[in-house]
Amino acid sequence: MSLEWVSYFTCHRCGLKKPSSEVPYDHLGYAICPACGAETRPAATTATGAQNVADG
């Protein structure tokens, strides 16, 4: 008996769970939920404030 490993995509907005092979991806490779259209891109961070400025 052989095992087949299946990776699943779970949408954090609507909760849809589908095999990753059945989910569309954008041009950068991030999954797009087929039910609600939510993208899985990481949140953008910005360097603001004195604690984030490198001493030079």
Side-chain angles (χ1 to χ4, degrees):
M1 175 173 30
S2 66
L3 293 175
E4 182 178 332
W5 293 96
V6 178
S7 177
Y8 283 92
F9 164 79
T10 302
C11 179
H12 294 290
R13 183 184 292 170
C14 71
L16 175 79
K17 185 175 181 180
K18 290 190 87 153
S20 295
S21 61
E22 297 178 15
V23 177
Y25 293 85
D26 69 6
H27 67 282
L28 295 175
Y30 293 106
I32 302 171
C33 179
C36 71
E39 296 181 356
T40 58
R41 294 182 182 201
T45 59
T46 58
T48 58
Q51 69 277 8
N52 293 332
V53 178
D55 294 334

